[in-house]
Amino acid sequence: MNDHFDRAPGAGRARHHPADPGFMGDSGDGDAKPSLFNQREPLRQPRTSPPFSENNISPSGDMVSGDCKRQSKPQYNTPNANSPSLSNDVSSLVKSSKLSASAPEFVPSTFTLSDDAAAYDDSEIYYPEPTLADMVTDFLGHLSSSPGSFDSDVEYITSMLNGCVTTEDLLQELVELIYTQSTAIPNFSYTGARLCNYLSHHLTISPPSGNFRQLLLKRCRREYEQRDEAVRGDADTQKKFHSFVLFLGELYLHLEVKSAKGGPNRADILLTGLKDLMISLFSNPVDGNLICAVKLLKLTGSVLDDVWNERGQSHMEELIQRIETILLDATCSRDVRQMLLKLVELRSSDWGRVRSAAAASNATPENDPNYFMNEPTFYTEDGTPFTAADPEYAEKYQEILDRQDYFHDVYGENGNDVFDFEDEMGPEIEEAYENFCLESEKKRQQ
């Protein structure tokens, strides 16, 4: 069955037997006849080749005598660069071509753009401008995660807001966004108060309803007026109210108001508000309200005490008496009682401040409580710390110095032994040591 099967590419397609019985003759001399592999048709021209004129196509489609080569497809003659017919064909193709070198992209004529591809056309995609809420949320999120960059970024943030906040409604929205984020993000009240102070002085818009600072104080007043209901509300209401109280404390410390004399002062309206808020917190002495009051007094107690003392007001004494009354009633938990006791002790020590520090030249352990503040702390062998303020400091410190001198004499400055080996080595040891050094030197030289 395979006697006349031709394995050459393109051979045997016309079902004609070859002139020879096989690839190799049957004669005993073993001479090989020409292989049909060398007589196969030429490789087909690329499909993208320009079509030549019909004059170059061989009209013959018949079989060549004795060959398996078939002219079923038009065969192209080798083009000659100097042939006038070739140049005319190329010129005609260039004139009739619809291709353009300035086209943005090449799309074959047989390619059809699907509906999905057309739907994702970049030229028709619309990217909306970021809203004020998105911008402020990004700014505050950045300041919350990187509070150390406040001084370097606040000017850029303010310039962006000056370009966006151009109407009264947008200013109201900005105030609400900053207030909400300052009371909702944990530990952001400090940075939020600093941002409010900066914007109150650098935002250019000032509508008839009020500037940024005035609108912010109006927003805080709304929460202030609900203080009596908030301290008796549910857990979520109290938590929201406590965040507002701590933010208002930070705002009192950082918000600066220009006075008639020219120097910036704190907002006195916040001073009165903080007193009323603490009275409301103590009026319902549950753990959450008491903890909030302790945090507020630790934050602003020293400043409030100084201002009220300058004005001859005893508001701080009244607050401390309320705390002592709560301690006597013992209605709060043990941990909260401990916090209140620590707060009373802190206030009795003038909020931990030292006012009568002597000059550095005249300072002595008797007249300056900070005399030993910069002295180092040492530890005994059993791990007990002691400083220069310790009565036994001199004795213990001398023991440490003696111990250091001992180790220095034995091990040297860098921990190396400093024993005098020359005095302790005998003649035999010295000779052996010298021989060892000589052998080591010879090995290195080899």
Side-chain angles (χ1 to χ4, degrees):
M1 178 176 63
N2 298 329
D3 293 339
H4 303 290
F5 181 74
D6 193 352
R7 296 181 181 274
R13 295 177 183 174
R15 303 292 183 183
H16 288 273
H17 295 290
D20 296 322
F23 291 106
M24 301 295 293
D26 296 334
S27 58
D29 54 0
D31 294 333
K33 293 184 179 181
S35 171
L36 292 178
F37 183 80
N38 297 326
Q39 299 180 11
R40 71 183 185 277
E41 67 176 354
L43 296 176
R44 178 175 57 80
Q45 294 292 332
R47 294 183 180 182
T48 57
S49 299
F52 293 97
S53 62
E54 295 181 356
N55 296 332
N56 295 331
I57 301 176
S58 175
S60 175
D62 300 333
M63 297 292 300
V64 180
S65 58
D67 275 340
C68 295
K69 181 168 63 178
R70 189 175 66 177
Q71 298 290 340
S72 59
K73 295 183 180 180
Q75 300 296 319
Y76 304 126
N77 295 332
T78 305
N80 187 1
N82 298 325
S83 174
S85 61
L86 177 61
S87 60
N88 293 333
D89 293 338
V90 172
S91 300
S92 62
L93 285 173
V94 171
K95 293 178 181 180
S96 62
S97 175
K98 297 182 180 180
L99 299 177
S100 174
S102 61
E105 60 182 358
F106 171 73
V107 180
S109 59
T110 58
F111 178 77
T112 58
L113 186 64
S114 63
D115 295 339
D116 294 339
Y120 290 98
D121 187 7
D122 292 342
S123 61
E124 298 182 359
I125 296 179
Y126 174 71
Y127 297 97
E129 292 292 333
T131 62
L132 178 63
D134 296 335
M135 185 183 302
V136 173
T137 302
D138 291 341
F139 286 155
L140 298 185
H142 169 70
L143 293 178
S144 177
S145 60
S146 303
S149 63
F150 178 87
D151 294 331
S152 60
D153 295 340
V154 67
E155 184 177 355
Y156 168 76
I157 293 174
T158 305
S159 64
M160 293 290 292
L161 293 177
N162 278 326
C164 298
V165 182
T166 56
T167 63
E168 181 179 348
D169 293 338
L170 289 177
L171 183 59
Q172 289 277 6
E173 183 181 358
L174 175 64
V175 171
E176 185 66 28
L177 287 170
I178 294 180
Y179 171 82
T180 302
Q181 296 294 327
S182 299
T183 56
I185 300 177
N187 302 323
F188 188 69
S189 57
Y190 168 77
T191 305
R194 294 182 63 195
L195 179 62
C196 290
N197 177 61
Y198 192 90
L199 294 179
S200 66
H201 295 287
H202 296 86
L203 273 183
T204 56
I205 183 173
S206 181
S209 61
N211 55 23
F212 178 85
R213 178 177 56 82
Q214 293 169 342
L215 294 178
L216 177 64
L217 293 179
K218 290 179 181 179
R219 178 63 183 87
C220 294
R221 184 174 182 83
R222 284 160 45 191
E223 297 292 332
Y224 164 80
E225 292 175 349
Q226 302 175 3
R227 61 189 184 278
D228 293 332
E229 294 80 8
V231 295
R232 290 174 173 82
D234 56 11
D236 293 337
T237 303
Q238 289 187 8
K239 182 178 180 181
K240 181 180 178 181
F241 177 71
H242 298 160
S243 299
F244 158 71
V245 170
L246 296 178
F247 172 67
L248 199 69
E250 294 285 3
L251 204 61
Y252 173 72
L253 296 177
H254 295 92
L255 187 62
E256 297 177 346
V257 180
K258 294 182 179 179
S259 62
K261 298 180 181 179
N265 296 323
R266 293 189 173 92
D268 291 338
I269 189 173
L270 297 181
L271 179 66
T272 305
L274 291 176
K275 177 181 68 68
D276 295 338
L277 289 174
M278 281 185 283
I279 292 175
S280 298
L281 291 171
F282 290 137
S283 66
N284 186 30
V286 296
D287 287 356
N289 291 335
L290 294 178
I291 292 174
C292 178
V294 170
K295 290 181 179 179
L296 181 61
L297 285 174
K298 284 185 175 180
L299 177 66
T300 62
S302 60
V303 178
L304 297 178
D305 206 355
D306 292 343
V307 174
W308 286 333
N309 288 332
E310 291 176 0
R311 299 181 180 182
Q313 298 172 342
S314 59
H315 297 315
M316 185 58 68
E317 294 292 340
E318 296 174 0
L319 294 176
I320 296 299
Q321 289 178 3
R322 285 178 176 268
I323 294 176
E324 293 175 349
T325 302
I326 293 172
L327 289 172
L328 293 176
D329 293 341
T331 57
C332 55
S333 64
R334 183 180 61 181
D335 294 337
V336 176
R337 281 176 53 84
Q338 191 68 22
M339 292 176 62
L340 294 173
L341 287 172
K342 292 291 185 183
L343 179 64
V344 174
E345 294 178 1
L346 182 64
R347 197 262 176 173
S348 62
S349 65
D350 195 14
W351 306 101
R353 296 176 295 186
V354 178
R355 298 181 181 273
S356 59
S361 58
N362 301 325
T364 62
E366 289 75 20
N367 62 14
D368 188 0
N370 297 325
Y371 184 82
F372 298 109
M373 184 174 61
N374 296 324
E375 293 293 333
T377 301
F378 299 96
Y379 295 88
T380 60
E381 293 181 354
D382 56 355
T384 303
F386 68 95
T387 61
D390 195 315
E392 301 178 357
Y393 169 78
E395 181 180 354
K396 294 179 180 178
Y397 186 65
Q398 187 61 41
E399 292 178 0
I400 293 177
L401 293 179
D402 295 340
R403 193 179 306 112
Q404 289 179 349
D405 293 339
Y406 169 77
F407 282 102
H408 182 273
D409 294 339
V410 175
Y411 295 103
E413 183 177 359
N414 297 324
N416 299 323
D417 294 342
V418 293
F419 292 112
D420 190 359
F421 290 101
E422 295 183 357
D423 295 340
E424 298 186 3
M425 287 194 303
E428 297 179 357
I429 298 178
E430 290 182 2
E431 183 178 358
Y433 179 72
E434 292 177 358
N435 293 334
F436 170 76
C437 293
L438 292 175
E439 292 178 359
S440 300
E441 185 66 24
K442 290 180 182 179
K443 290 181 180 179
R444 271 197 306 269
Q445 292 178 357
Q446 292 178 356

